[in-house]
Amino acid sequence: MFKWLHPYAKSENLYRLSGKFLLWFGWLGFIGAVVGTIWGLGFTPADYQQGDSFRIIYVHVPMAMMSMGGYLGMAIAAFIGVVWQQKHSDMMVMAIAPIGAIYTFLALFTGAAWGKPMWGTWWIWDARLTSELILLFLYLGVMALYNAYSDKRSGARAAGILAMVGVINLPIIHYSVEWWNTLHQGATITKFAKPSMDTSMLWPLLINVLAFGLLLGALALMRLRNDLLRTEGHRPWVQKIVEGEN
Amino acid sequence: MSAWFETLRRESLLVLRKKSDVLNPLVFYLLVISLFPLGVGPAPSILARIAPGVIWVAVLLSVMLSLERLFRDDYRDGSLEQMLLSVNGGAGLILAKVMAHWLMTCVPILILSPLAALLMGVPDSAVSAIMLTLLVATPALNMLGAVGAALTVGVGRSGVLLSLLILPLFIPVLIFATSAIDAAAMTLPYIGQLSLLAAFSAGAITLAPFAVIAALRISVQ
């Protein structure tokens, strides 16, 4: 696999490849998000218990799942960067971080907006809410550490190590609903058991989860490509691209 | 092995020679705790209720305060670079450094904690729980904190940054430690929480030194 990956250690090849991926991720994610959201908000039946306000699930759950998925992706990129010394992998860590932070914030925000009509409170120190808040702090820490270094390469590597250390928080978030009996409802979709929601409601949710994940990837790739152009600005291939697009 | 003990001895001596490094976190610890009776009022029922959280938050803050010195001086005079280059510069070295730091800063806090419990009016049944949770969980705090200290050692004025990096990682320890003390105050068994804290420490001691070394390599290069 390493031999196969090796050509992509060159920034130029990586730029091209990520451009292709970006196109696919971006369009599939966009179409999926539009389809899933319209389907979820407009055409699913209302919940027997929560009425129409359950529909925020189509934004909240994908955001929450992908905030964790983004962190995991960041940690995997950091791991690859440390083990195989791929500098672009470290760049990827920092490409994901701000987007993941925004996803986490939106998950918290939509959760609060959902909690107000359902539980009668914007915020409660519930296990899952608290651990999602910790996830936001972890993202912020990673970004702050990166910005504290004047040498961006060392900063990216340091941030990668922090990302890997913080990954212990993910299982805590994931199992928080099972370990602590608190206000947040239990998991709606699990990998193995039959989902506890009707298929007519489930499909748009699954589509949205996938779509928001693809969008996360597309946004991260955009940032990676920007970063590549910025750091390699003195190279001929960058100048060719810049001149070609003018 | 002798190199390991030598490092432990050297680190402990260094801390002892610079007494403010030992005393400042301790004074800070007692100061933070004594702020609470002044702030929320001295009613014993309130104080006893919030005591586990107050004591543990004070511990977290003073551990964080003390961690800044862990690699700072060795980094400044260049001996950290030499240590990492030497044949003994592996995880064992980090373990010795952090253990010396733990002996010199956390053990005094542990010894002072009955006094803190007395100040906060903690029921007698919970005092031993406070000491046990401190004994079992502070190694995890020190190892995780060492990762943060190693990541920020090359960055100037790292105090606030260090807290941003490390405090989120301390939160699980805080949750289980305070829940253990709460259980003990109600004379319930708390061995479960204590075991989890011990597991945190065991995991941190075995894994964190490698993260610390990787972080230090970035800082000294």
Side-chain angles (χ1 to χ4, degrees):
Chain A
M1 193 183 95
F2 193 69
K3 255 188 184 156
W4 178 78
L5 276 176
H6 199 251
Y8 299 109
K10 264 181 84 178
S11 307
E12 191 181 353
N13 295 341
L14 181 67
Y15 186 83
R16 299 247 154 84
L17 181 78
S18 58
K20 278 179 209 155
F21 271 108
L22 175 60
L23 220 58
W24 280 101
F25 279 22
W27 279 110
L28 279 178
F30 178 70
I31 295 167
V34 169
V35 169
T37 308
I38 291 178
W39 187 357
L41 296 188
F43 296 98
T44 50
D47 188 64
Y48 76 101
Q49 212 177 9
Q50 305 192 355
D52 274 334
S53 47
F54 97 97
R55 290 181 201 280
I56 202 166
I57 196 175
Y58 296 113
V59 184
H60 174 69
V61 167
M63 284 294 178
M65 282 176 85
M66 283 306 137
S67 67
M68 287 187 269
Y71 198 90
L72 190 63
M74 204 164 80
I76 291 170
F79 184 77
I80 294 170
V82 167
V83 173
W84 288 288
Q85 302 286 319
Q86 294 273 7
K87 63 174 176 183
H88 296 126
S89 204
D90 294 325
M91 276 177 149
M92 195 65 196
V93 174
M94 287 323 298
I96 299 175
I99 304 163
I102 290 169
Y103 269 54
T104 313
F105 174 77
L106 285 177
L108 282 167
F109 182 78
T110 52
W114 195 4
K116 183 63 188 166
M118 288 303 115
W119 303 337
T121 173
W122 292 103
W123 178 261
I124 186 142
W125 290 99
D126 152 274
R128 180 156 268 189
L129 271 62
T130 312
S131 47
E132 187 77 9
L133 185 67
I134 300 171
L135 186 67
L136 181 64
F137 288 144
L138 288 175
Y139 272 121
L140 293 181
V142 167
M143 280 150 61
L145 184 62
Y146 174 70
N147 289 321
Y149 277 80
S150 49
D151 174 26
K152 289 301 159 203
R153 256 204 90 184
S154 319
R157 299 188 60 190
I161 291 172
L162 184 67
M164 280 191 289
V165 174
V167 101
I168 47 162
N169 189 43
L170 286 188
I172 296 179
I173 301 176
H174 187 80
Y175 290 108
S176 57
V177 194
E178 287 156 42
W179 288 349
W180 289 281
N181 251 331
T182 41
L183 201 50
H184 196 283
Q185 64 198 51
T188 316
I189 329 165
T190 57
K191 274 181 248 48
F192 306 111
K194 194 177 170 296
S196 62
M197 77 199 277
D198 192 67
T199 32
S200 65
M201 292 171 169
L202 183 66
W203 272 110
L205 181 61
L206 292 181
I207 291 173
N208 256 8
V209 169
L210 192 66
F212 279 88
L214 286 171
L215 282 179
L216 177 81
L219 289 168
L221 283 179
M222 269 186 197
R223 283 179 50 83
L224 179 72
R225 279 158 65 87
N226 269 338
D227 219 18
L228 281 172
L229 288 182
R230 203 180 306 139
T231 49
E232 308 259 318
H234 54 286
R235 294 282 169 83
W237 68 269
V238 177
Q239 284 156 11
K240 215 184 284 173
I241 288 170
V242 173
E243 281 161 15
E245 282 176 0
N246 278 340
Chain B
M1 207 56 190
S2 68
W4 194 85
F5 281 113
E6 196 50 44
T7 315
L8 188 68
R9 203 180 67 87
R10 170 187 179 270
E11 295 295 323
S12 313
L13 268 178
L14 275 175
V15 183
L16 285 179
R17 295 258 162 84
K18 207 174 167 190
K19 295 208 169 49
S20 63
D21 278 347
V22 186
L23 289 177
N24 282 354
L26 276 182
V27 174
F28 178 80
Y29 172 66
L30 285 180
L31 201 60
V32 169
I33 286 178
S34 60
L35 287 181
F36 278 87
L38 301 173
V40 300
S45 58
I46 299 174
L47 284 185
R49 179 68 201 84
I50 63 171
V54 169
I55 291 174
W56 258 93
V57 169
V59 168
L60 294 188
L61 292 176
S62 52
V63 164
M64 220 188 56
L65 190 74
S66 70
L67 276 167
E68 227 189 321
R69 63 151 288 279
L70 188 54
F71 300 111
R72 190 188 54 208
D73 294 338
D74 283 344
Y75 174 73
R76 281 200 187 140
D77 65 14
S79 41
L80 189 66
E81 209 166 344
Q82 299 305 319
M83 284 179 200
L84 286 173
L85 286 171
S86 76
V87 278
N88 296 313
L93 171 88
I94 304 300
L95 209 58
K97 269 180 97 69
V98 178
M99 198 175 154
H101 182 79
W102 179 78
L103 282 173
M104 293 298 136
T105 57
C106 287
V107 172
I109 287 179
L110 182 71
I111 295 168
L112 266 187
S113 59
L115 177 62
L118 183 75
L119 288 174
M120 295 295 291
V122 172
D124 291 339
S125 60
V127 174
S128 59
I130 291 175
M131 296 191 74
L132 275 174
T133 52
L134 282 174
L135 179 69
V136 167
T138 44
L141 298 184
N142 275 274
M143 286 312 314
L144 286 173
V147 179
L151 283 169
T152 53
V153 73
V155 181
R157 283 186 299 161
S158 54
V160 181
L161 183 62
L162 183 65
S163 56
L164 182 61
L165 302 186
I166 291 308
L167 285 180
L169 299 175
F170 282 178
I171 291 174
V173 173
L174 175 72
I175 290 173
F176 286 110
T178 49
S179 122
I181 300 171
D182 272 337
M186 291 181 274
T187 60
L188 293 169
Y190 54 94
I191 188 75
Q193 290 96 320
L194 217 53
S195 315
L196 268 169
L197 290 174
F200 281 144
S201 280
I205 288 170
T206 43
L207 294 175
F210 298 101
V212 171
I213 286 188
L216 287 176
R217 293 248 155 86
I218 295 169
S219 295
V220 299
Q221 78 182 356

